Amino acid sequence: MKIATHLIFAECCWFAISAVVDVHYGTVEVLAVAVTSVLPDADNPKSWLGHRLGRVPQDLHRLFGHRSFLHSLLALFLFTVALGLPLWWVTRQPALALATSVGYGSHLFADMMTMGGVQLFWPSRAIAVLPGRDQYRVVSGSGSEHVFVAVVLTLALLFYPVSRSGFDGLIYRMGGADRVYGKVKRVTDGDTVSVEVYGQVQPVRLIGVDTPETVAPDQPIGCYGKQASAYTKKSLTKRLVRLEIPRIGDSEDAYGRTLAYLYLDADKDGSYERLFNEDLVKLGFARTTTFSHAYRREFERLREKAEERGAGLWGACPEATLY
Amino acid sequence: MHLALAAWRVGELDPRELGQVRGRDVDEAGLQRALYRSSMGEIEHVLGPALKGRRVIVQGRLAGAGRTAIERLGAEVEELRPLDERRYIDMTPAIFVFAALAMAVRYVSLGLDDQDLYILAGIAFAVMYGLRPFFSRMQRPRD
């Protein structure tokens, strides 16, 4: 297969896996997938990588042959142990380690779908192929490879947005939400407000965020809780807001509070597009919760950035921890 | 029956031992007709002495009913295979294993009360089940 085919297939695999597995990735991980997806071809002196590595590919080819050791599960295991685990230890995050393994593994998987197959169980010389019937496999450099690239590219474009929101986020978004407009009558604390909707005042708990406690009777006032509460009061008191109540999952919590996303009309153009829940996380006034909801991954990415900047409670409270 | 014909061609089988031949001289077509009318037990009885204790050498691989028939008659099969012959492992059954895992995960997710996992495993299993006939056709034919 051509190098471009391997790159596209590797990114497609990465987007699909990161949609299901809960990892946050950025440009570094996407690049790591791309780089590692071409490494197994180091045993082929005629490959794109082979032309750039000097004598190494020729030696590897003489020792093992093409699509043998470097295209085996043993090599994938050794690669993961030698590179993936140290990366995990250094970055303290599994994303980069997983990305390198997915990139390398995707190459083996893609080559298995070609006519030549790979010696997946090296040192056994048996050639692993998928699918087994020859006419369904890809002939490298032919029209079938172009069809393969087109299919994989389409899948990659479909998987990419899902990988950003997570599969759980996709489910919640597909379920939709009920929208109501109301006026904030009272702010209880950083993440709880009372909103008047259709003449009735109801308590609302903001989804996906958790500010330090300030009014819980059985808990002390949390570090940075007063600031979070003050910010919410300043931003929301007596303001018109739009509430989005997801149709999937519980609409109320155990205390009878409506669970909702709260939007503000920041531009005063009647659009109500600014998500206040997001603001709390971005400015470091709130931690994120772990349960599934539509914007869980987005909130977690914002929380990570706030943590890196030392914004809000992440800078003010040395003992601040995640849930 | 094919074995009996092959044995007759090399002079290892006397067709007059078959009841259906009724002691006459027969050509290949006549022997074939007689073999069609004979029972399997009778063919084995006639062919047995020709094959018992012999070594049958075949080009390439011999599997399935042909190999079973020869070995049942007491012969030993030797396959002549090139040294550089490629041996393939068909990974298509891995797809069925994946489908079985998806089905198992549905029940696990019920136990874990994980709604997202339940939906995801359900979709995976439905896709696998829908494409089942296609996956079956994808399998490598036996050598």
Side-chain angles (χ1 to χ4, degrees), chain A residues 1-2 6 40-45 60-61 64-73 107-122 124-129 137-141 145, chain B residues 86:
Chain A
M1 277 189 177
K2 289 182 167 51
H6 280 300
D41 269 344
D43 61 8
N44 182 10
L60 284 170
H61 191 263
F64 305 111
H66 182 39
R67 293 193 179 184
S68 56
F69 168 59
L70 287 189
H71 286 68
S72 67
L73 289 175
H107 188 109
L108 316 186
F109 196 49
D111 275 352
M112 207 157 61
M113 289 188 273
T114 62
M115 286 301 286
V118 292
Q119 292 177 17
L120 194 66
F121 303 103
W122 190 91
S124 164
R125 294 282 173 190
I127 297 167
V129 286
R137 292 207 300 281
V138 176
V139 179
S140 300
E145 185 167 347
Chain B
R86 289 182 170 190

Side-chain angles (χ1 to χ4, degrees), chain B residues 50-78:
Chain B
L51 282 177
K52 193 170 174 116
R54 307 283 284 272
R55 176 179 289 181
V56 177
I57 299 171
V58 293
Q59 291 277 358
R61 282 176 61 84
L62 180 67
R67 190 186 188 103
T68 309
I70 292 171
E71 288 178 345
R72 187 179 152 88
L73 291 169
E76 188 186 332
V77 177
E78 187 181 334

Side-chain angles (χ1 to χ4, degrees), chain A residues 6-29:
Chain A
H6 280 300
L7 291 176
I8 294 168
F9 185 72
E11 296 301 346
C12 179
C13 290
W14 174 244
F15 294 150
I17 287 171
S18 56
V20 180
V21 180
D22 199 7
V23 289
H24 300 156
Y25 70 89
T27 314
V28 177
E29 283 79 15

Side-chain angles (χ1 to χ4, degrees), chain A residues 1-2 12 18 26 81 88 93 117 122 131 211 233 257-258 263 265 278 298 303:
Chain A
M1 277 189 177
K2 289 182 167 51
C12 179
S18 56
V81 170
W88 192 339
Q93 296 285 336
W122 190 91
T211 57
K233 272 181 189 156
R257 298 176 294 187
T258 301
Y263 288 87
D265 181 16
E278 192 178 275
E298 282 88 341
R303 190 257 305 149

Side-chain angles (χ1 to χ4, degrees), chain A residues 20 112 115 120-121 124-134 136-137 167-168 171-172 248 292, chain B residues 86-95 114-117 119-120 123 134 136-141:
Chain A
V20 180
M112 207 157 61
M115 286 301 286
L120 194 66
F121 303 103
S124 164
R125 294 282 173 190
I127 297 167
V129 286
L130 179 81
R133 205 173 273 270
D134 291 350
Y136 290 139
R137 292 207 300 281
F167 182 75
D168 52 346
I171 296 286
Y172 277 87
I248 294 181
S292 295
Chain B
R86 289 182 170 190
R87 196 159 54 85
Y88 286 92
I89 298 176
D90 183 1
M91 298 297 285
T92 315
I95 298 172
D114 190 331
Q115 194 182 31
D116 312 324
L117 193 62
I119 295 170
L120 182 67
I123 292 171
F134 180 65
S136 300
R137 278 204 300 275
M138 280 163 53
Q139 291 196 69
R140 189 175 182 79

Side-chain angles (χ1 to χ4, degrees), chain A:
Chain A
M1 277 189 177
K2 289 182 167 51
I3 182 175
T5 311
H6 280 300
L7 291 176
I8 294 168
F9 185 72
E11 296 301 346
C12 179
C13 290
W14 174 244
F15 294 150
I17 287 171
S18 56
V20 180
V21 180
D22 199 7
V23 289
H24 300 156
Y25 70 89
T27 314
V28 177
E29 283 79 15
V30 173
L31 287 174
V33 170
V35 170
T36 52
S37 73
V38 296
L39 289 183
D41 269 344
D43 61 8
N44 182 10
K46 292 177 184 169
S47 67
W48 178 87
L49 186 66
H51 283 116
R52 282 155 183 80
L53 290 180
R55 280 194 54 79
V56 177
Q58 286 166 21
D59 294 339
L60 284 170
H61 191 263
R62 198 176 55 250
L63 275 171
F64 305 111
H66 182 39
R67 293 193 179 184
S68 56
F69 168 59
L70 287 189
H71 286 68
S72 67
L73 289 175
L74 177 64
L76 177 61
F77 173 75
L78 294 174
F79 181 79
T80 305
V81 170
L83 185 68
L85 294 183
L87 280 174
W88 192 339
W89 185 73
V90 169
T91 60
R92 309 276 177 199
Q93 296 285 336
L96 194 56
L98 186 64
T100 53
S101 297
V102 168
Y104 197 97
S106 74
H107 188 109
L108 316 186
F109 196 49
D111 275 352
M112 207 157 61
M113 289 188 273
T114 62
M115 286 301 286
V118 292
Q119 292 177 17
L120 194 66
F121 303 103
W122 190 91
S124 164
R125 294 282 173 190
I127 297 167
V129 286
L130 179 81
R133 205 173 273 270
D134 291 350
Q135 56 265 42
Y136 290 139
R137 292 207 300 281
V138 176
V139 179
S140 300
S142 72
S144 60
E145 185 167 347
H146 299 149
V147 173
F148 180 77
V149 169
V151 171
V152 171
L153 192 60
T154 309
L155 287 174
L157 292 173
L158 285 173
F159 282 134
Y160 174 71
V162 186
S163 73
R164 298 306 285 170
S165 65
F167 182 75
D168 52 346
L170 176 75
I171 296 286
Y172 277 87
R173 284 179 203 196
M174 284 170 69
D178 294 317
R179 295 174 173 194
V180 290
Y181 291 85
K183 188 175 184 181
V184 176
K185 300 299 282 185
R186 195 170 75 87
V187 173
T188 310
D189 70 357
D191 54 28
T192 308
V193 294
S194 295
V195 181
E196 185 181 2
V197 180
Y198 302 129
Q200 283 193 329
V201 177
Q202 53 185 331
V204 173
R205 173 69 166 81
L206 306 183
I207 296 176
V209 297
D210 188 30
T211 57
E213 293 300 338
T214 55
V215 292
D218 54 345
Q219 289 181 39
I221 294 175
C223 176
Y224 220 66
K226 283 190 173 176
Q227 289 89 331
S229 191
Y231 176 76
T232 305
K233 272 181 189 156
K234 187 183 81 176
S235 307
L236 298 183
T237 305
K238 294 183 181 174
R239 282 192 72 170
L240 286 171
V241 294
R242 175 163 65 86
L243 298 177
E244 273 194 8
I245 304 158
R247 294 195 189 112
I248 294 181
D250 296 330
S251 58
E252 286 185 356
D253 68 1
Y255 305 104
R257 298 176 294 187
T258 301
L259 296 167
Y261 298 104
L262 194 148
Y263 288 87
L264 291 171
D265 181 16
D267 301 330
K268 310 280 185 193
D269 58 356
S271 59
Y272 292 92
E273 293 296 330
R274 184 159 164 186
L275 181 55
F276 184 72
N277 308 45
E278 192 178 275
D279 282 356
L280 287 175
V281 179
K282 198 189 293 180
L283 298 171
F285 288 116
R287 299 177 181 89
T288 50
T289 54
T290 53
F291 60 81
S292 295
H293 63 93
Y295 303 107
R296 184 174 63 86
R297 287 207 183 181
E298 282 88 341
F299 284 10
E300 283 178 359
R301 280 197 289 274
L302 289 170
R303 190 257 305 149
E304 278 176 8
K305 282 180 186 167
E307 211 176 331
E308 283 168 17
R309 291 196 318 269
L313 67 91
W314 303 110
C317 312
E319 75 283 7
T321 52
L322 295 172
Y323 290 114

